[in-house]
Amino acid sequence: MIAVSCVAAFGAASQETPVYLDYTAPIEERVEDALSRMTLEEKVRVLHAQSKFSSAGVPRLGIPELWCADGPHGIRGEVFWDNWDNAGWTNDSCTAFPALTCLAATWRPELAYEYGRAIGEEARYRGKDVLLAPGVNMLRTPLNGRNFEYLGEDPLLTSVMAVPYIKGVQSNNVAACLKHYALNNNELNRNESDVHVSDRALYEIYLPAFRAGVEKGGAWAVMPSYNLFENRHACENPRLIKEILKESWGFDGVTVSDWGGAHDTDKVLDGGLDLEMGTGTDGLTADMNAYDTYHMANPYLERLRDGRESEAVLDDHVRRVLRTIFRTSMAPSYWKGRFTCPEHYAVARRIGGEGIVLLKNNGLLPVSDKVRNILMVGENAVKMLTIGGGSSSLKAQHEISPLQGLRDALRGRAEVDWERGYIGAGPVVYNNVRSRDFALLSETRDSAMLVADAVRMAGNADLVIFVGGLNKEDHQDCEDRDRLSLGLPYGQEALIGALAEANRNLVVVNISGNPVAMPWADKAGAIVQDWYLGSEAGNSLADVLTGAVNPSGRLPFTVPYRMEDTPVWGERRYPGIKRPDSRIYDIYYDEDILIGYRWYDTKSIPVQFPFGYGLGYTTFGIGRPSLTRDGDSYRLEVAVSNTGDRSGAETVQVYVTSPEVKGLLREKRKLAGFAKVDLDAGETRTVTIDIPVSVLAYYDETTSSWRITPGKYTFAVGSSSADLPHRVAARYEGN
């Protein structure tokens, strides 16, 4: 119990009996109780920022401020009250977890829960109430600078992985904030892109993960995005916020604007936004607190006072903010969280190891006991990749580099030398956080000398491991900047070719959060798709390279040969057409539902590596499946065998092909379900995959409803979207 004297709170001497608020009462009772005690000014005050990352509470009622923290891969270091620079604290260096592309590549939902639980513990320990994560936007274009924060190109995979992440975070009384709602699928012109998309694509591709996060994950917060939809910014969009999110899906949490995503007072108040963050100038402007000039601050208060706005609508916004506070900092819980503990580093290391994808292997991996002299080449072998990239930049307690990780793993067994090979550098200082590799990345050699030195050393090595890729520099996986091309930057492609000529025992490790073109693929003996893996990056990679972990990651996106093959080729589709005499770009989703593998499969376009693909150090056999109808689900059962000599994990993937309907666009196939199974060498197990009948539905624009076409549905089973040897069919004739 906490005693609150309402009279004394106004400064008057009082002998009245204090009012006791029961913190164990149901949340809705507490919300209504608090709401009834608040003044009009206090209600408005809780609806907008008071600093970069906080909004005001109600001190006289004992209601605390609401504190947000950037994710989704770690808890951002403390920044100053009114600017983005790190405030220089000495106790805010976090555990950096792998990027969400890596989490998606594990195809293991239980790991998503462990991820969410661990990062939620770190948020709780730091006193954060809202974690601005997970990001669930679709990988529509491989040039999107923020794809590394998302979960790939398929709405089902994204949904299945996002839900347990949310539940894990919120198990700590920390609100997960789904972002960026919705259609924020490019960073270039992100504040000026007006998305034109069919309702069918909207509901089938771009909204399912948000809906799952709300309805199945129970997310307590949602962040509307920067872009426009139907000529209204998402933060001011009544269709997205009021009609779909709140009314159709029954969302009872708080909508938090993306920082600076609100633009017009009338539209913000009409659009349904609950909490406005990051608008315009912060701090003091002349003699005025600039936060009071926000659209949902004094301008809103003036409209309420003169009757232009409804206090009933105001109360709905306030209820949502109060509900969030009572679910988080004022929840009846003594749990204080944990921070940078061994358990969190273990989670980060395991996710990294399970997410790494082995794309090619001619026997070079795992590293043989006969290998004594290894040359590691590439700037990313030593560069800290937790620094930079935008709001996901972290102040990590430590970051194990690939070079350090492999040296530690092979100590006493092999020598591991390093040559830089190329200069990319990227951010070494970001928001006042300085990379610890700053001195190591200083360089006196030019590019030609770097290549020559690397090639000379490569000729004398038993094994060459090139570690390159992107690096979170502008246009290389970075918020607010899209990539400029699909290829590797900084002359890496030529360097890989030169290394291959010097030594045919070449392993290429690509670190990125996006697909990259690989015209050099036939020159490498092995190719590893690595990710931004955070604190344990080098240990996770070393686990896979040495065989301590049998790689089981599967691609959460397609790797195309070239940009011209992608579904967004052409100015209309990306980056859009600029309106005359306007800042707005109209971007047309003409590919409709055909993004990612749906596009390549339907159009019969060859790809470098397909969605869902990945190798390991053992082999698997998938038997013939059986399919039965069980109420609202199909139950698919299939025997999976480990036919190799190492234990490992296989991901069984099920894709469905729907009956054709004249005049209706159909993808050739779409993911309908999956399951990851661990098997010892020689072991066989039966895997069961439940597939909801609703997976068969398409969104009928003529009736604004979901519909399942009667007819024959074919379920294909295999290990990737391009390797589906077994099929089983079922007829749907209705319920």
Side-chain angles (χ1 to χ4, degrees):
M1 298 285 194
I2 295 181
V4 178
S5 174
C6 295
V7 177
F10 284 99
S14 174
Q15 302 299 319
E16 293 188 15
T17 303
V19 176
Y20 285 88
L21 305 181
D22 185 358
Y23 280 25
T24 63
I27 281 181
E28 294 311 308
E29 290 183 17
R30 297 170 63 195
V31 168
E32 294 305 318
D33 181 32
L35 185 67
S36 69
R37 302 171 188 273
M38 294 172 66
T39 66
L40 187 67
E41 291 76 13
E42 288 169 338
K43 289 178 181 180
V44 171
R45 197 170 297 127
V46 302
L47 301 184
H48 63 86
Q50 64 167 3
S51 75
K52 277 295 183 186
F53 280 100
S54 70
S55 57
V58 187
R60 72 178 185 87
L61 296 180
I63 298 174
E65 303 160 328
L66 187 71
W67 280 90
C68 300
D70 268 325
H73 313 132
I75 309 305
R76 186 173 183 162
E78 300 298 331
V79 303
F80 288 109
W81 191 260
D82 294 323
N83 70 56
W84 295 111
D85 283 343
N86 187 272
W89 290 23
T90 59
N91 60 350
D92 60 343
S93 297
C94 69
T95 304
F97 295 90
L100 290 193
T101 42
C102 175
L103 177 63
T106 70
W107 291 64
R108 200 186 286 274
E110 56 267 36
L111 269 185
Y113 180 84
E114 289 302 309
Y115 190 128
R117 181 190 55 78
I119 196 172
E121 288 180 348
E122 299 231 340
R124 179 74 281 144
Y125 185 89
R126 288 268 300 280
K128 307 304 180 184
D129 306 307
V130 181
L131 178 67
L132 304 176
V136 296
N137 296 96
M138 290 292 99
L139 193 158
R140 177 177 179 260
T141 169
L143 300 184
N144 183 6
R146 216 164 180 180
N147 280 336
F148 69 95
E149 295 187 39
Y150 303 144
L151 291 157
E153 70 186 27
D154 182 79
L156 177 65
L157 175 62
T158 297
S159 300
V160 170
M161 299 301 289
V163 166
Y165 178 106
I166 292 165
K167 290 182 176 180
V169 169
Q170 294 184 170
S171 69
N172 296 282
N173 300 117
V174 173
C177 185
L178 273 168
K179 64 182 189 182
H180 306 87
Y181 178 72
L183 301 165
N184 186 180
N185 304 302
N186 50 276
E187 290 297 289
L188 178 63
N189 306 320
R190 64 179 182 177
N191 292 285
E192 295 85 30
S193 291
D194 189 7
V195 175
H196 299 262
V197 62
S198 71
D199 270 6
R200 186 176 173 206
L202 177 70
Y203 280 93
E204 290 188 27
I205 303 296
Y206 298 102
L207 291 185
F210 290 102
R211 182 177 182 179
V214 169
E215 294 185 344
K216 296 181 180 179
W220 294 339
V222 171
M223 177 187 288
S225 54
Y226 284 122
N227 55 283
L228 296 89
F229 169 58
E230 296 180 339
N231 213 33
R232 291 281 291 263
H233 281 96
C235 289
E236 307 166 352
N237 197 299
R239 186 180 177 201
L240 287 176
I241 298 175
K242 293 199 292 192
E243 295 177 23
I244 297 175
L245 179 62
K246 294 182 177 180
E247 295 172 14
S248 179
W249 299 347
F251 176 65
D252 70 352
V254 63
T255 54
V256 183
S257 75
D258 208 338
W259 269 235
H263 302 273
D264 180 276
T265 300
D266 291 333
K267 291 179 179 178
V268 168
L269 299 181
D270 174 62
L273 186 69
D274 301 311
L275 180 58
E276 180 187 1
M277 301 295 292
T279 299
T281 302
D282 299 322
L284 295 176
T285 301
D287 295 325
M288 179 179 290
N289 181 351
Y291 297 102
D292 289 338
T293 67
Y294 278 24
H295 304 292
M296 298 188 73
N298 286 349
Y300 190 15
L301 185 59
E302 292 170 6
R303 285 164 170 76
L304 288 161
R305 285 172 172 166
D306 63 22
R308 283 179 290 165
E309 297 292 340
S310 162
E311 192 166 353
V313 173
L314 167 70
D315 285 349
D316 179 70
H317 296 314
V318 177
R319 283 188 184 96
R320 292 170 182 273
V321 174
L322 291 174
R323 195 175 289 130
T324 305
I325 293 171
F326 291 153
R327 283 169 166 168
T328 57
S329 61
M330 293 187 73
S333 171
Y334 293 100
W335 177 236
K336 300 300 181 185
R338 297 187 292 179
F339 198 62
T340 56
C341 58
E343 292 83 359
H344 291 176
Y345 288 120
V347 168
R349 183 170 182 169
R350 183 185 174 195
I351 292 169
E354 283 221 31
I356 291 172
V357 184
L358 181 63
L359 297 176
K360 178 182 178 180
N361 188 20
N362 289 345
L364 295 183
L365 297 176
V367 176
S368 168
D369 290 338
K370 297 179 181 179
V371 171
R372 293 288 182 266
N373 179 13
I374 298 173
L375 176 66
M376 188 171 276
V377 179
E379 188 179 276
N380 280 359
V382 300
K383 178 173 170 51
M384 287 185 66
L385 293 172
T386 54
I387 300 288
S391 62
S392 65
S393 183
L394 296 174
K395 182 181 178 183
Q397 187 186 59
H398 74 251
E399 180 178 346
I400 306 298
S401 70
L403 179 63
Q404 180 184 343
L406 192 62
R407 280 176 171 171
D408 290 345
L410 296 179
R411 184 168 286 114
R413 174 179 152 188
E415 293 294 323
V416 183
D417 294 320
W418 174 70
E419 276 292 336
R420 184 170 188 168
Y422 69 91
I423 298 176
V428 292
V429 179
Y430 196 89
N431 287 147
N432 206 31
V433 177
R434 180 167 172 160
S435 174
R436 289 186 290 274
D437 57 20
F438 184 83
L440 187 60
L441 295 179
S442 61
E443 187 61 69
T444 58
R445 295 171 292 178
D446 61 21
S447 296
M449 293 175 63
L450 287 170
V451 172
D453 287 347
V455 169
R456 175 178 51 80
M457 292 284 288
N460 298 319
D462 297 330
L463 180 68
V464 178
I465 302 175
F466 174 78
V467 183
L470 311 182
N471 63 6
K472 294 188 178 179
E473 186 180 20
D474 285 356
H475 307 297
Q476 306 299 339
D477 281 350
C478 182
E479 181 185 3
D480 201 28
R481 300 287 190 276
D482 281 352
R483 297 165 64 197
L484 301 178
S485 70
L486 195 62
L488 290 176
Y490 315 127
Q492 291 178 79
E493 293 179 357
L495 174 58
I496 291 171
L499 292 172
E501 288 187 12
N503 193 323
R504 66 193 191 103
N505 295 328
L506 173 65
V507 177
V508 175
V509 177
N510 175 66
I511 298 178
S512 70
N514 256 309
V516 302
M518 299 181 180
W520 39 264
D522 60 345
K523 300 177 182 178
I527 302 173
V528 175
Q529 175 60 48
D530 199 2
W531 316 97
Y532 305 116
L533 298 186
S535 292
E536 293 294 304
N539 288 334
S540 294
L541 179 60
D543 287 342
V544 168
L545 295 179
T546 62
V549 167
N550 192 341
S552 63
R554 301 293 182 260
L555 287 175
F557 51 59
T558 305
V559 179
Y561 280 109
R562 54 185 194 150
M563 271 305 298
E564 291 88 337
D565 295 336
T566 68
V568 297
W569 184 250
E571 184 183 14
R572 256 181 70 91
R573 298 185 181 190
Y574 173 84
I577 299 174
K578 193 174 186 297
R579 295 178 189 173
D581 303 319
S582 173
R583 298 176 59 214
I584 303 301
Y585 287 77
D586 290 298
I587 184 167
Y588 297 89
Y589 286 31
D590 293 335
E591 73 282 0
D592 206 61
I593 62 170
L594 301 181
I595 75 164
Y597 67 91
R598 288 168 165 82
W599 169 266
Y600 303 106
D601 289 350
T602 304
K603 301 293 185 180
S604 299
I605 298 173
V607 299
Q608 184 89 63
F609 295 106
F611 174 80
Y613 176 81
L615 304 173
Y617 299 147
T618 188
T619 54
F620 296 94
I622 298 176
R624 298 192 63 83
S626 64
L627 187 72
T628 57
R629 175 80 180 267
D630 184 12
D632 292 332
S633 295
Y634 291 103
R635 174 156 292 181
L636 187 144
E637 294 185 335
V638 62
V640 184
S641 302
N642 184 337
T643 58
D645 58 3
R646 290 172 177 258
S647 61
E650 174 65 298
T651 299
V652 181
Q653 301 166 42
V654 183
Y655 296 78
V656 64
T657 299
S658 302
E660 293 186 5
V661 176
K662 185 176 181 180
L664 179 68
L665 176 65
R666 290 287 207 193
E667 64 277 280
K668 184 175 182 179
R669 62 178 67 94
K670 64 178 178 180
L671 185 67
F674 62 91
K676 192 168 186 176
V677 56
D678 298 295
L679 295 169
D680 292 330
E683 183 182 6
T684 297
R685 290 176 57 187
T686 297
V687 175
T688 300
I689 302 174
D690 291 324
I691 302 169
V693 172
S694 59
V695 167
L696 308 182
Y698 73 94
Y699 189 80
D700 187 345
E701 294 180 334
T702 62
T703 61
S704 299
S705 63
W706 292 92
R707 179 182 175 188
I708 302 178
T709 304
K712 178 183 174 182
Y713 289 81
T714 301
F715 296 87
V717 183
S719 58
S720 78
S721 62
D723 182 13
L724 300 166
H726 301 300
R727 285 167 174 74
V728 61
R731 291 198 65 82
Y732 179 84
E733 303 297 348
N735 295 324

